[in-house]
Amino acid sequence: MLPSTQALSAFKATQKPFIASSVVEKKPFVAHSTIEVNSPRYFYTCAAGGILACGLTHYLMTPVDLVKCRMQVNKSLYNGVFDGFKKIASAEGVRGLYLGGAPTLLGYSLQGMGKYGFYEYFKSLYGGFVGEEAAAKYKTMLYLSASASAEFIADVMLCPMEALKIKMQTSTTPFATSFLGGIRKINAAEGLNGFYKGLTPLWLRQIPYTMVKFATFEKTVEAIYKHVLSKPKDQYTKTQQLGVTFAAGYFAGIFCAIVSHPADTLVSKLNNVAKAEGESTGAIAIRILKDLGFSGVWAGLTPRIFMIGTLTALQWFIYDSFKVQTGLPTTGAVAAPKKE
């Protein structure tokens, strides 16, 4: 006796599809953290992710940064990035490629803590000021204002280590034999001003850079999910979401490098030029810019695009990977609430 149509339908409905055992991730990633978004614990978590994202990536890119800084100070020194690598490694060994690595690691870890932690804080703060509807309508302005505010604070944390890094990397003779030795040398020669005389140019470099970095990233993530992919973010796997993060980060990084490069050149020069008695930082900056000319401020742009593109993509990838491990959502492209 054959089963009825109704019985077959009922049986079919209770069966789960067979999925072969595989290491390939299939399950969509949906945020499941006990950490409440926009709570103090959330901001601390984002700051911790920023430490990892910025500290590790900038240290990794130290050889590229070394060549870039030296080319900005003396553009005829190397014939390109790889020529710089070859000459430095030949003269100083592989260790020489990581000259300035210690202040880089410490300085950019501090900067990352401020950049990412305060970005999320100011985004929540300013969004609360204007209200949910206005925040959603003017998202780009929210991204720009929050990132600028965060970077203003982050650069104060970075500046002393940036000054030491540049002196170590661009001095024609070895600046110091150790990290602490370099700190003592700057302090003895210039006092506190020696660590912060590059702060204004650093703001001019980093604030536009960070505004572009965060706003372009957020808008690119949003565009990828809206126009390139076919489903909302929470219907994709963890790996797929992080792939979007990396792609959007690299795209944002290219724009960051171009926007901030003239100020980056000025910072490199400023920390390597002797200050005349009674000369202000602004006067030194004007003198340097006159000497450089238009083409001079763009020296080292190619290695910087490569460096910043890779750096920004890796930073967002590490940052979002850290958030995902805590159960928090990846950054950007929050699904709009359904209309009832």
Side-chain angles (χ1 to χ4, degrees):
M1 188 173 178
L2 296 174
S4 66
T5 304
Q6 291 86 349
L8 286 171
S9 297
F11 176 78
K12 184 178 179 181
T14 61
Q15 299 308 297
K16 293 182 179 180
F18 172 75
I19 300 175
S21 176
S22 171
V23 295
V24 178
E25 186 183 12
K26 298 290 185 183
K27 188 178 179 181
F29 174 72
V30 180
H32 56 275
S33 179
T34 57
I35 302 171
E36 183 183 350
V37 173
N38 295 333
S39 66
R41 190 178 169 202
Y42 173 75
F43 300 137
Y44 299 148
T45 302
C46 292
I51 291 172
L52 294 173
C54 293
L56 294 177
T57 52
H58 275 276
Y59 182 77
L60 178 67
M61 298 299 288
T62 297
V64 181
D65 189 39
L66 174 62
V67 173
K68 182 267 300 179
C69 285
R70 288 182 174 178
M71 288 177 69
Q72 287 174 326
V73 173
N74 181 2
K75 61 183 178 182
S76 63
L77 191 60
Y78 307 123
N79 294 321
V81 180
F82 294 105
D83 180 58
F85 290 163
K86 184 179 178 181
K87 287 180 177 177
I88 293 169
S90 176
E92 306 170 45
V94 175
R95 187 178 178 182
L97 291 168
Y98 280 85
L99 180 66
T104 295
L105 180 62
L106 177 58
Y108 282 94
S109 292
L110 292 171
Q111 188 220 31
M113 178 175 67
K115 184 196 299 274
Y116 284 91
F118 280 112
Y119 172 68
E120 296 293 348
Y121 171 74
F122 284 120
K123 194 163 65 167
S124 172
L125 182 68
Y126 296 159
F129 284 161
V130 300
E132 188 176 346
E133 186 177 338
K137 186 177 181 180
Y138 301 106
K139 282 188 293 186
T140 303
M141 289 302 299
L142 185 64
Y143 302 149
L144 292 170
S145 57
S147 58
S149 301
E151 190 61 39
F152 183 88
I153 297 171
D155 288 346
V156 176
M157 302 165 76
L158 166 65
C159 197
M161 294 299 100
E162 182 76 353
L164 175 58
K165 174 190 80 74
I166 291 173
K167 284 185 178 292
M168 291 178 71
Q169 291 181 334
T170 59
S171 295
T172 52
T173 56
F175 178 73
T177 56
S178 67
F179 172 78
L180 291 177
I183 294 288
R184 286 193 288 265
K185 189 171 182 179
I186 293 175
N187 187 59
E190 303 176 73
L192 188 63
N193 181 63
F195 295 104
Y196 281 101
K197 70 179 183 180
L199 181 58
T200 298
L202 190 62
W203 277 331
L204 292 175
R205 180 189 83 183
Q206 287 298 129
I207 291 176
Y209 164 89
T210 302
M211 291 169 73
V212 172
K213 172 180 177 176
F214 281 84
T216 304
F217 174 81
E218 296 252 23
K219 297 298 288 185
T220 302
V221 169
E222 185 181 313
I224 289 174
Y225 283 112
K226 186 175 180 180
H227 301 294
V228 179
L229 302 177
S230 57
K231 296 179 290 187
K233 182 172 80 170
D234 60 7
Q235 293 184 29
Y236 288 96
T237 66
K238 185 188 303 182
T239 303
Q240 290 167 332
Q241 291 185 34
L242 291 174
V244 171
T245 291
F246 186 87
Y250 209 104
F251 185 76
I254 294 170
F255 285 93
C256 291
I258 296 169
V259 166
S260 62
H261 191 74
D264 182 66
T265 302
L266 180 59
V267 170
S268 293
K269 281 284 192 180
L270 192 63
N271 282 294
N272 200 50
V273 170
K275 183 179 180 180
E277 187 176 350
E279 189 176 26
S280 67
T281 301
I284 300 174
I286 292 170
R287 173 162 59 89
I288 291 170
L289 290 172
K290 284 180 178 178
D291 292 341
L292 286 171
F294 180 79
S295 61
V297 298
W298 296 102
L301 178 60
T302 300
R304 192 157 187 269
I305 286 176
F306 170 71
M307 172 186 163
I308 297 300
T310 306
L311 200 69
T312 307
L314 287 173
Q315 283 176 358
W316 279 115
F317 183 81
I318 292 170
Y319 176 67
D320 269 357
S321 295
F322 181 80
K323 286 177 70 179
V324 163
Q325 289 304 309
T326 65
L328 291 168
T330 56
T331 307
V334 177
K338 294 180 180 179
K339 295 180 180 180
E340 296 183 2

